[in-house]
Amino acid sequence: MLPFLSGELKELYLEMSTESAFAANEALKVIIHRTPSLVKLNLEAQVQGTSVETSLAKWLETTENLEEISLPPYYLTPALVQTLGSLPQLKVIEQNFKFTHPSNSSVVLQALPPGTFPHLTSISFNATLSDARKFLLASQEVGSRLVCITLHASGTMDSGDILNFTRHITQNCPMMTNLGLDLSKALESGEQSVSPLTMELLESLKKLRHSWATFGRKTSFKI
């Protein structure tokens, strides 16, 4: 299985279209210790993160050179956060949505503990605006070093919720220069209509070098 893997591999795009947790775990177990030089990983999978977190964590423990990783939504489980937080070169955590889209979920974001993620500068994750603020409050040490955040938001919201979140970013993330807000999934679900382009919101983003927000398929802005 996966005969192309070698110790010299730097980048890997791995798509697991199986819906079987057993098959996904078996595939991950085969990879352990076979990609020690991996720098960039894009993992797309249909199975839930909690069903493969042990096998995935064991594999990632052997990728100490990893700098960038892209994962499906809800894959930042406690086991994965512990493993990723120990990788000395990891700089970027992205998300991909080929099989799974952010939605209302009871999944609680795992905080990034102090003393972990020594070089992390960019993170992308999905949550409600309220949970995103709680996540950043519980991850203050790591959050204070972040340069870029992309939030794929879900749940009901109004312009006040968005403003509170952007103010929290500018006040508590001093290194932040790039902020992306993907609010389209929440709006497309019809949960609540918002009028987000207020002057207060635009003023709250003035300190950032680059900001963008998507409110629907045809509504967006960049600063």
Side-chain angles (χ1 to χ4, degrees):
M1 180 181 282
L2 305 176
F4 56 86
L5 294 180
S6 75
E8 303 301 318
L9 189 69
K10 301 291 186 183
E11 296 188 17
L12 176 61
Y13 168 74
L14 180 61
E15 179 182 312
M16 295 196 299
S17 57
T18 180
E19 296 182 4
S20 166
F22 175 80
N25 276 293
E26 289 301 300
L28 291 171
K29 290 176 183 178
V30 170
I31 303 175
I32 295 174
H33 297 297
R34 295 181 62 185
T35 58
S37 301
L38 197 63
V39 174
K40 186 175 182 179
L41 170 64
N42 186 342
L43 173 64
E44 296 182 349
Q46 291 211 58
V47 294
Q48 294 184 354
T50 51
S51 65
V52 295
E53 62 177 344
T54 300
S55 299
L56 182 55
K58 287 182 178 178
W59 170 31
L60 294 176
E61 286 173 359
T62 68
T63 60
E64 291 189 351
N65 294 302
L66 194 66
E67 296 182 6
E68 298 182 29
I69 188 169
S70 178
L71 296 167
Y74 310 119
Y75 263 57
L76 290 179
T77 64
L80 259 294
V81 167
Q82 181 178 355
T83 298
L84 293 175
S86 68
L87 297 180
Q89 305 301 326
L90 188 64
K91 300 175 183 177
V92 178
I93 299 176
E94 294 286 353
Q95 272 195 324
N96 56 67
F97 306 107
K98 181 168 184 176
F99 296 115
T100 307
H101 291 283
S103 61
N104 289 334
S105 172
S106 59
V107 176
V108 177
L109 280 167
Q110 180 67 25
L112 310 182
T116 62
F117 297 92
H119 291 101
L120 188 68
T121 59
S122 176
I123 187 170
S124 172
F125 61 95
N126 54 284
T128 64
L129 290 171
S130 175
D131 285 346
R133 289 181 64 195
K134 293 176 183 176
F135 167 71
L136 292 173
L137 280 171
S139 310
Q140 287 191 39
E141 184 188 271
V142 178
S144 67
R145 303 193 301 267
L146 291 174
V147 174
C148 177
I149 288 178
T150 301
L151 171 64
H152 303 274
S154 59
T156 59
M157 68 186 73
D158 57 30
S159 57
D161 296 325
I162 303 170
L163 178 61
N164 287 336
F165 179 74
T166 57
R167 281 178 172 169
H168 176 86
I169 291 290
T170 56
Q171 293 171 4
N172 295 279
C173 301
M175 304 298 291
M176 185 70 55
T177 59
N178 296 267
L179 174 63
L181 295 176
D182 178 7
L183 311 178
S184 57
K185 293 301 175 187
L187 299 186
E188 287 174 12
S189 68
E191 289 164 334
Q192 186 161 338
S193 177
V194 301
S195 300
L197 286 176
T198 65
M199 287 305 299
E200 283 185 301
L201 174 59
L202 296 176
E203 284 289 328
S204 73
L205 298 172
K206 283 174 60 177
K207 296 180 181 179
L208 303 178
R209 186 179 301 169
H210 301 289
S211 302
W212 64 266
T214 301
F215 306 105
R217 293 174 182 173
K218 296 183 180 179
T219 307
S220 64
F221 76 84
K222 296 181 180 180
I223 296 179

